[in-house]
Structure formats: structure tokens, C-alpha cells
Amino acid sequence: MILGSGWGGFKLIRETDKEKYQVVAVSPRNHFLFTPLLASTSVGTLEFRCITEPVRAYTGDVEYHQAWCDTIDFDKHKVACTLNLATSPETVDTPQHVELQYDHLIISVGSYSNTFNIPGVKEHGFFLKEVSDARKIRQRVLECFERAEMAKTDQEKNDLLHFAVVGGGPTGVEFSSELHDFIREDCSRLFPSLMNHVTLAVYDVAPKILASFDQSLSEYCMTKFRRSGIEVRTETVIDRVEDGRLLLKGGQEVKFGCLVWSTGLTENPLVAALEGQVMKSRNRRILTDEYLRVLDPQGKIIPNVYALGDCATIKDHEVPQTAQVANQQAIWLRKALNTMAKRPEKDMTEITKPFSFKNMGTMAYIGNWEAVVDMTTLNKEAKESGHMAWVFWRSSYLTMSVSLRNKMLIPMYWLTTWLFGRDVSSFQVYDRRHREAIGSRTNTHVV
Ligand SMILES: Cc1cc2nc3c(=O)[nH]c(=O)nc-3n(C[C@H](O)[C@H](O)[C@H](O)COP(=O)(O)OP(=O)(O)OC[C@H]3O[C@@H](n4cnc5c(N)ncnc54)[C@H](O)[C@@H]3O)c2cc1C
């Protein structure tokens, strides 16, 4: 049984040997999401469907349940789940529960965005974790421009067109860059009179952005951002968020039209529910041994239960919460499980070496066809910034995307965006009016 269809789970769902195992997948999200290109979809550089892979398309021989796993009983080998299905977008169904039995369990449920309990973030900020988040951001950005177009005063326009990104890690930087490209290349054409009112700022508590990158690359990004007009507000602490207002420590207030929050990760509710059943790290991730086997609170291995990806880390060998780690772990576990099935009499430690993470480096898009690539973990000299790095960034993600369909769609959308600009259609309001209108007409009988 595999919990989750993300970077860890999806690979295992696809590649576990179905001749040897009956694979059951449980995930509330019925698709895999290629997260490195999610920021591109939030402004329309790419369309949402070219970065997703439906689980069903790969699960002819897999039993799939579109459900949340709520609790796990390790003694009885059972998981309790709630179906993630609604009959119509307007109704909230009575939750439907199912219990499922497993022999081997793989937990790869990922993590949630961390708000550090700062009041108002959940209510007034946008996150960037799922396709639904990217859709909401895209709609809000367009709404800000449309509202500003009708605003009466310059102050109102300035407030609506201040875009605030909190978190200067790779996700925050990539989103800011994509948004800056969108404003410069498309909004300047569509809303020319508003351009003087637009401001974009990245806020971070740390003294620099892209702090995990080589220092020269982090500085390159900060200089480039400042030159492009993106304000970099480092060493800035956010105290509170209110509707359209950021309140900074020290009393300063900043009005915004759209706030995107990207400051780190916290535990998934399932992992929180496993309190007292598994050993956890300081940052609330499930602890495993080097064979990805989950440990109980006393440090003993829980038989046939594995955890990988963002929700877990290895005892005494902390691994980062990246797709690269989840992907390498999934490949390692798939090989180990497939070999174990052929030699069931052997212990895992006898058939494979422990998992070890090979850091292949990191990259980030920094706007205007430039990127930074840091591979100094492999070779001290291996770092690049600018247009060449951008070519490397794009070709790497194109190569890594999963299906042939998406390998074709992604460059097609890149080309379309370059030739014709990003699509600025928004669909939300029309649908509600349409339903209301249909509702009122069906009650009228015309003779
Ligand atoms: C915008 C963005 C950009 C990123 N860019 C990069 C990058 O360039 N390079 C990189 O290495 N990493 C990147 N990351 C990080 C990377 O996406 C994560 O580290 C990776 O997704 C972790 O994989 P995972 O399988 O652990 O979790 P996820 O991919 O998050 O998958 C978790 C799965 O579990 C499911 N799930 C959740 N709760 C339950 C439950 N209760 N029961 C069952 N299933 C459940 C979810 O629906 C999902 O299918 C990025 C992340 C984001 C958000």
C-alpha cells in the first residue's frame, strides 16, 4: 500500500513489480504534480495540465482509492481513510470512510506549508503547493489589475498592485521571477496605464535570499532582482497579516493586493496523528533507519513500514525536503522491494546497501530568461548564472517531466507564450451567474 501520489509515491505506484506485489494506492490527489514548474503555471507561462500526470493513466494494474489516510494501526496492519470525493462542487458530502488492510506500507504523504502561526496568513495569503493554489494566484493577480483599472485614486491603484512574496527560498524566488516576467511582458501591453503603480517585493527574515545556494549565486540573484525593480526586503519580520495589509515588526504597515506565502514546511496531519506511534525528528518528520524503515518511539523498526520524501527523514542523516530526495528514495525503495520479492527469505540489509542521498545540486529561475545553477556539491567550480544556466534549467526540467505527452506540451506552451503572450482569461465569476440564471429559468413555464 502506497500513501501519496507525489514525487515519492507516484514513482513507486508506477514501478513496483506488479507480478510480485498487489499494489494499492491511496491519495486524495488523483494526479502527480511536477512541482518545479508550478510557479510557471501560476502566471500562465505554462498551462496546468502540462505539469500533471493522472494516477489512473498508470494504474491499470493498481487498486487506487482517491482518499485521505487518517490513521494507521501498525499492529493490525490497517489504515483508516476518508474518501476525497464530492458529488457536486456546491455540496459538502457526509464523509465516507473506508478501512484498508496492508502487508507492506509506504508512507509518502509530503508536507504542508508553514505559517509559523503568524496571525492572518492562512486567511489572507496564498500558498503555492498544488494546482488549485496556482489557479487561485493567477485569478487574484488578474483581479488586482482589473480592480486597479477601475480604482479612483492613485493610492488605491498602488495598494492593489503591490505584490508581496514572503520567503526568499527557491519557490519564492521563482514565483517572483515568473510574476515579474508576466507583468513586464504581458501586463505592460494589456494595462499600460497601470505600470507606474506596480511594485513587487520579496520579504525574508534572513539577511539574503536563496540562502541555501552558493554565496556568489545568491548575490547575483539579489543584484538582478534589484536591477529589475523587484524590491528585496531581507531581515524583515512579519508580525501579522490582515485583509490587504502586512504588519511588520517595528510597526510598519504595507498594503498589498496579493500576498504569496512560501516560508517553509510543516508536518502533514497524518504525520501529526502518528504522534506516540513513530519516532519523529526535531522538525516533526517521521524518523527512519537508513533502509527507510519507520522507527517506533523506542527506536525499534516497525516491520514492513517505510517512509520517504518530505514527511520523513533518516535518523542521524538528515535529508532535505526536495523532489530530488523523494525521487532518489523512491528509486532505491522500488529496487529493494522488487529484489526482496524475489528473495523473501532474506532480510533487507542482506540484499541491498543502505540508502544514501547524492546531492546533484539545485537550480532556480530568476526571471528574464536567466537562472542560477549550483552544483558545487559535485564540483567546487560547478556553478553558473545567466542565460546559459536558464537553458540548462529548462532542458533539465523538460527531460525530467514524466510522460511523452507533457514532454511535447511543455515546449509547445513555452513557444506559444513567447509568440502570443500568456493567456489572461479568468473563469470564476461567470460560472456562478450562469447557474443562478439557469435556476431561475427552469421555474418559468412559457405556454
Ligand atoms: C512550487 C514548488 C516548487 C518546487 N521545486 C522543486 C525543485 O525545483 N526541486 C526539488 O528538488 N524540489 C522542489 N520542490 C519540493 C518538492 O516538490 C517536494 O520536496 C516533493 O514534492 C516531495 O515529494 P513527496 O512525495 O514527499 O510529497 P508530495 O510530492 O507533496 O506528495 C505528497 C502526496 O501525498 C498525498 N497526501 C497528502 N496527505 C495524504 C494523506 N493523508 N493520505 C494519503 N495521501 C496523502 C498528496 O495528495 C500527494 O499526492 C518544490 C516544491 C514546490 C511546492
Side-chain angles (χ1 to χ4, degrees):
M1 177 171 296
I2 299 161
L3 305 180
S5 57
W7 276 94
F10 189 60
K11 191 154 207 81
L12 285 156
I13 293 171
R14 283 164 56 218
E15 296 181 8
T16 304
D17 187 346
K18 314 294 185 318
E19 306 259 295
K20 304 279 190 300
Y21 293 98
Q22 180 203 345
V23 176
V24 179
V26 175
S27 180
R29 192 176 76 191
N30 77 350
H31 54 269
F32 162 77
L33 175 62
F34 191 82
T35 46
L37 294 177
L38 186 61
S40 302
T41 64
S42 66
V43 295
T45 310
L46 286 175
E47 277 310 317
F48 304 115
R49 288 192 190 277
C50 49
I51 61 157
T52 60
E53 303 286 348
V55 174
R56 283 273 172 211
Y58 296 86
T59 53
D61 43 8
V62 170
E63 184 184 319
Y64 169 61
H65 300 268
Q66 190 170 324
W68 305 91
C69 172
D70 301 319
T71 53
I72 305 172
D73 186 332
F74 293 117
D75 296 327
K76 294 187 179 147
H77 292 199
K78 268 186 192 166
V79 298
C81 305
T82 305
L83 298 193
N84 182 30
L85 297 167
T87 40
S88 92
E90 275 80 31
T91 58
V92 178
D93 289 355
T94 329
Q96 267 181 283
H97 303 289
V98 281
E99 257 194 8
L100 301 165
Q101 198 87 34
Y102 67 82
D103 297 321
H104 301 263
L105 179 69
I106 298 163
I107 309 171
S108 53
V109 292
S111 54
Y112 276 39
S113 302
N114 199 349
T115 64
F116 296 97
N117 290 328
I118 297 173
V121 177
K122 226 171 20 180
E123 294 78 10
H124 306 295
F126 291 95
F127 301 98
L128 188 56
K129 277 288 275 173
E130 300 289 339
V131 168
S132 51
D133 298 325
R135 281 184 73 161
K136 284 183 204 152
I137 293 173
R138 196 155 149 185
Q139 270 167 355
R140 179 62 193 163
V141 171
L142 291 167
E143 196 181 286
C144 286
F145 274 95
E146 294 295 352
R147 281 178 186 273
E149 186 85 332
M150 290 183 299
K152 300 229 164 45
T153 66
D154 280 355
Q155 190 56 51
E156 269 181 85
K157 290 179 201 247
N158 293 346
D159 296 346
L160 277 164
L161 295 178
H162 179 63
F163 298 97
V165 179
V166 182
T171 305
V173 163
E174 288 197 333
F175 172 71
S176 314
S177 310
E178 291 281 358
L179 181 59
H180 185 262
D181 284 358
F182 174 52
I183 293 168
R184 192 175 48 90
E185 292 164 15
D186 298 277
C187 297
S188 59
R189 192 168 37 84
L190 304 167
F191 305 93
S193 62
L194 293 178
M195 281 307 105
N196 288 340
H197 300 280
V198 180
T199 48
L200 167 57
V202 182
Y203 300 81
D204 203 306
V205 278
K208 55 186 182 175
I209 56 171
L210 288 187
S212 59
F213 280 61
D214 179 85
Q215 186 165 343
S216 62
L217 297 176
S218 157
E219 278 161 15
Y220 183 90
C221 177
M222 290 210 278
T223 314
K224 185 181 155 42
F225 267 23
R226 287 191 175 121
R227 274 201 205 126
S228 328
I230 303 176
E231 206 184 331
V232 181
R233 298 191 64 168
T234 48
E235 297 181 270
T236 304
V237 179
I238 314 278
D239 239 5
R240 207 165 73 240
V241 182
E242 291 178 359
D243 189 13
R245 296 198 309 161
L246 265 180
L247 295 134
L248 311 182
K249 203 167 194 151
Q252 203 198 335
E253 178 188 307
V254 183
K255 296 236 174 101
F256 64 81
C258 176
L259 166 74
V260 174
W261 194 268
S262 167
T263 55
L265 302 170
T266 189
E267 67 186 337
N268 179 297
L270 173 65
V271 177
L274 295 179
E275 199 65 50
Q277 289 180 273
V278 298
M279 191 182 248
K280 289 196 193 168
S281 69
R282 212 169 22 87
N283 58 353
R284 321 299 307 147
R285 293 164 81 188
I286 298 170
L287 273 179
T288 69
D289 70 354
E290 288 167 286
Y291 292 85
L292 308 186
R293 296 177 295 191
V294 174
L295 303 174
D296 75 5
Q298 285 72 44
K300 285 203 213 103
I301 294 158
I302 304 179
N304 300 325
V305 180
Y306 309 87
L308 66 152
D310 280 4
C311 70
T313 188
I314 300 168
K315 193 164 179 251
D316 304 326
H317 297 274
E318 174 98 21
V319 284
Q321 286 169 293
T322 62
Q324 201 183 131
V325 170
N327 191 48
Q328 285 184 24
Q329 288 179 324
I331 293 171
W332 180 91
L333 189 58
R334 178 253 290 157
K335 276 190 200 150
L337 289 174
N338 288 349
T339 316
M340 259 166 64
K342 287 183 203 136
R343 303 166 73 186
E345 73 290 353
K346 297 266 184 195
D347 185 70
M348 197 172 208
T349 52
E350 296 173 284
I351 55 162
T352 175
K353 285 189 187 149
F355 170 79
S356 83
F357 170 55
K358 184 155 193 216
N359 192 340
M360 308 299 283
T362 38
M363 338 182 234
Y365 178 57
I366 58 169
N368 195 19
W369 303 35
E370 289 195 40
V372 285
V373 176
D374 181 355
M375 293 168 76
T376 47
T377 47
L378 299 174
N379 178 334
K380 276 204 172 77
E381 303 303 314
K383 55 184 169 180
E384 184 67 56
S385 52
H387 297 302
M388 276 311 289
W390 173 80
V391 173
F392 186 75
W393 175 85
R394 272 209 168 171
S395 31
S396 308
Y397 285 144
L398 183 59
T399 320
M400 281 162 64
S401 66
V402 180
S403 60
L404 178 62
R405 175 183 167 276
N406 283 351
K407 283 188 203 301
M408 289 167 72
L409 278 179
I410 291 170
M412 211 177 83
Y413 276 109
W414 279 335
L415 180 68
T416 314
T417 298
W418 181 64
L419 288 174
F420 308 110
R422 294 163 181 82
D423 182 11
V424 291
S425 319
S426 177
F427 311 105
Q428 91 212 76
V429 180
Y430 191 78
D431 184 54
R432 199 185 60 231
R433 280 278 176 109
H434 190 205
R435 278 167 191 279
E436 282 166 10
I438 294 170
S440 61
R441 292 230 180 95
T442 46
N443 295 333
T444 316
H445 298 278
V446 180
V447 181

